[in-house]
Amino acid sequence: MDAVAVIDIKDSIVVRAVAGKRNEYQAVESRILKDGEITPLAAAAAFYEKLGIRKIYIADLDAILGDTNNIKMIKKIKNEYPDLEIILDAAFDRNNSPIPYLEEFLDYAVIATETIKNLSFLNELKDYKAKIIISMDLKAGSLIHNIQKWQNKTLKNIVNEIKKLGFQNFIILDLANVGTASGISKYIRELKIEFPELNLITGGGVKDYRDIKKLKRLQFSGVLIASAFHNGSLGEKEVKLIEADDILYQIAWCITGAGHLLRESIDQIEELLAENSKLKIDIYLSKAGLEVLKIYKFYQRLENLGCQIYKDNSASSPIIGKIYKGYYDALVSAPTTSNTTAKFVLGISDTLVSNLLAHAGKTKLPVVVLPTDIDQNLVSAAPGKEVDVFPREIDLKNTEKLSQLADTSVISEPKEVKSCLKKYF
């Protein structure tokens, strides 16, 4: 899946598009651009050099609104960054053919339904189908177009009609969502399900990686992103994650300082990774968890799984920002000591794991917890032997309280993790 950065040009500067109200677009404010540097070239440079973007969508609003165009400026971007693929919407139609630009420098030309007057123009582009993207802009679900025979047709029927002409590349977005961080419209996701064979790019309303995960799983070809790049919600790390075709699901897995069910928990991590080739598991260790793993001689085995391992070495645990960026589909804590269970129940967050559990709750991230104190009499594995453990009444009560927490599933053995995760995958 491609992370496609968007550059909207109006009056020859980069503007921020909001809800399709073009006359109200203002100069973009951006964390990745220097103050005052709001030219299309400066934006392209920031996307390319700071975020690792290799495909941009340019909406030449000056051309679309009929005033002038910014072709010279766009050609300069291509000259400066020849491996940066450019998708250009510049109101192409029969009187403004994209063919000369496609033959000279342009990678993809956008043919917008709001611009063309009839479908016969598409026949003139049949030799360039691989480089043509049909753009279908909607406003609150209604297609913007000037074609009379489409007045009473559904979006699905219109897509099918264009598809029969041999075009496979589409951009479909709802302008009402653009710049609003309100997420991708459900009906657009449903359209991809209806036409799985098409190369669909969408966008408009992307807030963070949570919105994009849904699109990846439906195999959208790309996602258009502007505001989330400029405000810092998405950055270079997220671009790599978006374009990593081998990652569709991510779990944060916490391990605390319990020997009981530790081996079985690692077995479950290993099994999940073996069964799900596109699953990534990040491991978070409490200080006691790291100690116990080494005492039980399991740490090397954990390292051999190839997971990213995070250790408790800072007071504020800044790595938990991953939760707020929407990386994870669920958080698993297995095994979980009575100490961490008590902290989770009481809302204490003074360690890496207790911080993760607290912030999972604050972001409504589903949590699966395997508490070690689940019965009045336990036989627990210790190094080289087994020991009897008798959890205290307060420990058992805290375990009981866990199940009362929102978005929290309590399990009694590691193999139950798999069935819990099926709800989120």
Side-chain angles (χ1 to χ4, degrees):
M1 182 181 198
D2 292 323
V4 185
V6 176
I7 299 177
D8 290 292
I9 308 174
K10 190 170 183 285
D11 300 326
S12 299
I13 64 169
V14 180
V15 295
R16 183 189 174 203
V18 180
K21 300 175 182 177
R22 291 168 178 165
N23 292 329
E24 299 177 18
Y25 291 179
Q26 300 294 318
V28 70
E29 295 181 3
S30 176
R31 293 187 179 186
I32 61 172
L33 298 178
K34 294 180 181 178
D35 290 343
E37 292 193 6
I38 53 176
T39 65
L41 180 58
F47 288 139
Y48 185 92
E49 296 170 3
K50 295 181 180 180
L51 303 184
I53 291 291
R54 292 298 178 266
K55 184 172 286 189
I56 60 173
Y57 168 90
I58 298 177
D60 187 347
L61 297 173
D62 292 323
I64 293 170
L65 295 172
D67 299 328
T68 180
N69 67 57
N70 295 281
I71 292 295
K72 288 183 179 179
M73 201 177 296
I74 295 164
K75 285 176 65 175
K76 188 173 182 180
I77 293 173
K78 188 65 176 179
N79 289 336
E80 290 284 333
Y81 301 100
D83 63 328
L84 180 61
E85 293 187 339
I86 296 177
I87 302 169
L88 177 60
D89 183 355
F92 294 122
D93 61 12
R94 180 168 277 114
N95 298 320
N96 178 31
S97 175
I99 293 176
Y101 305 119
L102 289 170
E103 292 180 342
E104 183 183 359
F105 77 95
L106 192 59
D107 299 289
Y108 299 95
V110 171
I111 307 301
T113 56
E114 72 168 297
T115 301
I116 58 174
K117 301 297 188 295
N118 57 66
L119 294 184
S120 63
F121 172 56
L122 296 181
N123 291 324
E124 299 174 19
L125 304 173
K126 61 183 180 180
D127 293 335
Y128 298 86
K129 286 176 184 175
K131 291 189 169 188
I132 297 297
I133 301 178
I134 308 299
S135 178
M136 307 183 74
D137 288 351
L138 301 103
K139 198 77 174 286
S142 297
L143 181 65
I144 302 171
H145 68 87
N146 292 298
I147 298 178
Q148 186 63 34
K149 70 173 186 173
W150 284 353
Q151 293 301 323
N152 297 314
K153 287 192 174 183
T154 65
L155 180 61
K156 185 167 67 174
N157 288 338
I158 293 171
V159 171
N160 204 43
E161 187 173 344
I162 297 172
K163 173 191 163 187
K164 287 179 179 178
L165 296 175
F167 293 90
Q168 294 288 312
N169 306 321
F170 288 77
I171 291 175
I172 300 180
L173 68 154
D174 197 318
L175 294 178
N177 291 348
V178 171
T180 65
S182 59
I184 305 297
S185 297
K186 182 181 177 181
Y187 72 85
I188 291 179
R189 301 198 303 271
E190 291 173 345
L191 195 68
K192 176 58 179 173
I193 296 172
E194 186 72 29
F195 296 98
E197 75 283 6
L198 296 183
N199 301 317
L200 256 58
I201 298 173
T202 190
V206 170
K207 182 180 180 181
D208 56 28
Y209 185 63
R210 261 174 290 244
D211 294 320
I212 297 170
K213 284 192 296 190
K214 300 172 185 176
L215 306 179
K216 281 189 70 173
R217 292 167 188 171
L218 291 172
Q219 297 184 325
F220 275 81
S221 301
V223 56
L224 302 174
I225 305 166
S227 297
F229 282 151
H230 290 300
N231 66 27
S233 296
L234 297 172
E236 184 180 15
K237 290 181 180 179
E238 287 72 42
V239 169
K240 291 179 179 177
L241 187 55
I242 290 166
E243 298 188 340
D245 292 334
D246 59 335
I247 301 174
L248 285 183
Y249 308 96
Q250 285 198 88
I251 300 170
W253 191 298
C254 302
I255 295 177
T256 62
H260 184 53
L261 298 175
L262 179 58
R263 180 196 298 273
E264 293 86 346
S265 293
I266 298 173
D267 288 344
Q268 186 64 196
I269 295 172
E270 193 172 57
E271 190 173 319
L272 282 167
L273 290 171
E275 293 178 356
N276 300 273
S277 62
K278 296 196 175 184
L279 169 66
K280 183 175 186 288
I281 299 178
D282 290 341
I283 308 294
Y284 290 85
L285 304 178
S286 68
K287 288 181 180 179
L290 177 60
E291 288 180 355
V292 171
L293 280 164
K294 290 183 176 180
I295 290 171
Y296 282 67
K297 302 187 185 305
F298 290 152
Y299 184 72
Q300 186 62 54
R301 181 185 171 196
L302 198 63
E303 279 194 318
N304 291 342
L305 294 178
C307 300
Q308 180 74 50
I309 298 176
Y310 297 101
K311 302 171 185 176
D312 195 346
N313 53 20
S314 66
S316 63
S317 305
I319 194 63
I320 63 173
K322 281 189 165 189
I323 289 180
Y324 284 92
K325 285 181 176 273
Y327 281 31
Y328 299 120
D329 299 289
L331 184 150
V332 177
S333 183
T336 310
T337 61
S338 59
N339 179 49
T340 298
T341 296
K343 288 181 177 181
F344 190 22
V345 168
L346 294 173
I348 297 172
S349 50
D350 60 353
T351 66
L352 175 59
V353 171
S354 59
N355 254 308
L356 279 163
L357 289 166
H359 287 281
K362 292 177 181 180
T363 58
K364 296 188 175 182
L365 179 70
V367 175
V368 179
V369 184
L370 172 65
T372 54
D373 295 332
I374 54 177
D375 205 345
Q376 292 180 347
N377 188 359
L378 302 172
V379 177
S380 179
K385 59 182 178 180
E386 291 186 339
V387 297
D388 290 321
V389 179
F390 304 96
R392 303 168 298 173
E393 182 179 355
I394 190 171
D395 299 325
L396 295 172
K397 283 184 176 179
N398 283 333
T399 294
E400 186 179 344
K401 289 178 182 177
L402 277 177
S403 60
Q404 299 170 14
L405 299 177
D407 303 307
T408 302
S409 301
V410 179
I411 58 176
S412 58
E413 50 186 344
K415 66 181 181 181
E416 293 178 51
V417 170
K418 192 182 300 183
S419 60
C420 286
L421 293 180
K422 284 181 180 178
K423 293 182 286 186
Y424 314 118
F425 288 0

